[in-house]
Amino acid sequence: GAVVSQHPSWVICKSGTSVKIECRSLDFQATTMFWYRQFPKQSLMLMATSNEGSKATYEQGVEKDKFLINHASLTLSTLTVTSAHPEDSSFYICSAQMGEWDEQFFGPGTRLTVL
Amino acid sequence: GQNIDQPTEMTATEGAIVQINCTYQTSGFNGLFWYQQHAGEAPTFLSYNVLDGLEEKGRFSSFLSRSKGYSYLLLKELQMKDSASYLCAVRDSNYQLIWGAGTKLIIKP
């Protein structure tokens, strides 16, 4: 149980385009989903926290207009990187949590390369 | 500020035992997590401690002392596949997870 999927697993796009990444909890309802970014050989960096039906809470330094998060249902959250640039190239990982006392289950990650 | 400290890198021998330490200073405490992350992959959950003491799960054990702000992850009978980064994370009073930078564990034959 507690499986989280992400799609796509990797994407290459041109600078200036937008990319949407989906995160789904497959066998449980996630009250909260998290979006992380990880650069090579660095630790996870939390970008934002989203609760179903409400606006995401962004971490300091993360541009909410650039990284659009939609948590449409208890099993789906999307991250859209708008007007992507090469510096946005990174490993984006989502996680989902059933309740605030539960552990986070991570998706397999999406590797974004912006040319 | 909030801080999680763990060693950057450790090396151990196949079949041996290794202990990865984690110290923390956070705004409140609602549990400590250990995750394993292989290179290029997402983290996977290993253990959770909220009360003092040792939690054992197969070859892996995790210990917590809340008064000392200290935890360790103990890996026994090391296997080559245990080569990975091990992330310590503490849930603070706002139920936010504060992440350590991770410890890269290198297993040698």
Side-chain angles (χ1 to χ4, degrees):
Chain A
V3 178
V4 176
S5 70
Q6 259 182 265
H7 178 80
S9 55
W10 61 269
V11 57
I12 301 173
C13 69
K14 292 182 179 180
S15 186
T17 60
S18 294
V19 174
K20 180 186 280 189
I21 302 170
E22 288 188 353
C23 177
R24 292 181 185 272
S25 55
L26 298 184
D27 52 1
F28 66 99
Q29 292 187 324
T31 54
T32 308
M33 287 187 170
F34 304 85
W35 286 96
Y36 293 86
R37 181 166 53 181
Q38 187 174 36
F39 293 103
K41 299 184 179 181
Q42 294 186 22
S43 190
L44 295 172
M45 288 174 48
L46 179 65
M47 298 175 68
T49 303
S50 75
N51 293 293
E52 183 263 341
S54 62
K55 290 183 179 179
T57 302
Y58 290 81
E59 295 300 299
Q60 198 170 11
V62 178
E63 299 173 58
K64 62 180 180 181
D65 294 330
K66 180 170 181 61
F67 299 99
L68 302 177
I69 292 172
N70 187 334
H71 195 155
S73 74
L74 285 171
T75 59
L76 173 65
S77 176
T78 59
L79 168 69
T80 302
V81 183
T82 62
S83 187
H85 287 92
E87 56 265 31
D88 299 324
S89 298
S90 187
F91 191 44
Y92 291 87
I93 312 172
C94 74
S95 70
Q97 186 180 44
M98 279 181 268
E100 60 183 6
W101 281 100
D102 296 311
E103 65 266 43
Q104 294 181 27
F105 295 97
F106 284 84
T110 298
R111 192 160 302 282
L112 170 64
T113 302
V114 184
L115 302 176
Chain B
Q2 309 210 85
N3 196 47
I4 309 274
D5 283 318
Q6 46 181 135
T8 305
E9 188 174 296
M10 298 181 72
T11 303
T13 306
E14 190 177 14
I17 299 173
V18 70
Q19 177 175 311
I20 303 174
N21 296 324
C22 170
T23 57
Y24 63 89
Q25 293 170 311
T26 56
S27 314
F29 178 84
N30 280 304
L32 185 145
F33 298 82
W34 284 96
Y35 282 84
Q36 179 190 60
Q37 186 178 24
H38 285 99
E41 298 180 13
T44 55
F45 170 75
L46 287 179
S47 70
Y48 171 66
N49 295 70
V50 67
L51 299 176
D52 290 350
L54 189 68
E55 293 281 342
E56 296 185 81
K57 194 184 289 186
R59 294 188 299 114
F60 293 5
S61 304
S62 57
F63 171 83
L64 174 67
S65 169
R66 288 171 296 171
S67 61
K68 294 181 180 178
Y70 167 71
S71 173
Y72 67 73
L73 180 70
L74 192 71
L75 292 76
K76 302 177 185 176
E77 300 169 16
L78 286 170
Q79 301 174 10
M80 297 303 293
K81 67 178 182 179
D82 297 329
S83 292
S85 286
Y86 291 86
L87 308 174
C88 173
V90 173
R91 186 159 54 197
D92 68 11
S93 56
N94 294 319
Y95 294 93
Q96 294 260 39
L97 262 191
I98 312 301
W99 291 87
T103 298
K104 182 179 180 181
L105 178 62
I106 300 168
I107 310 296
K108 294 186 175 179

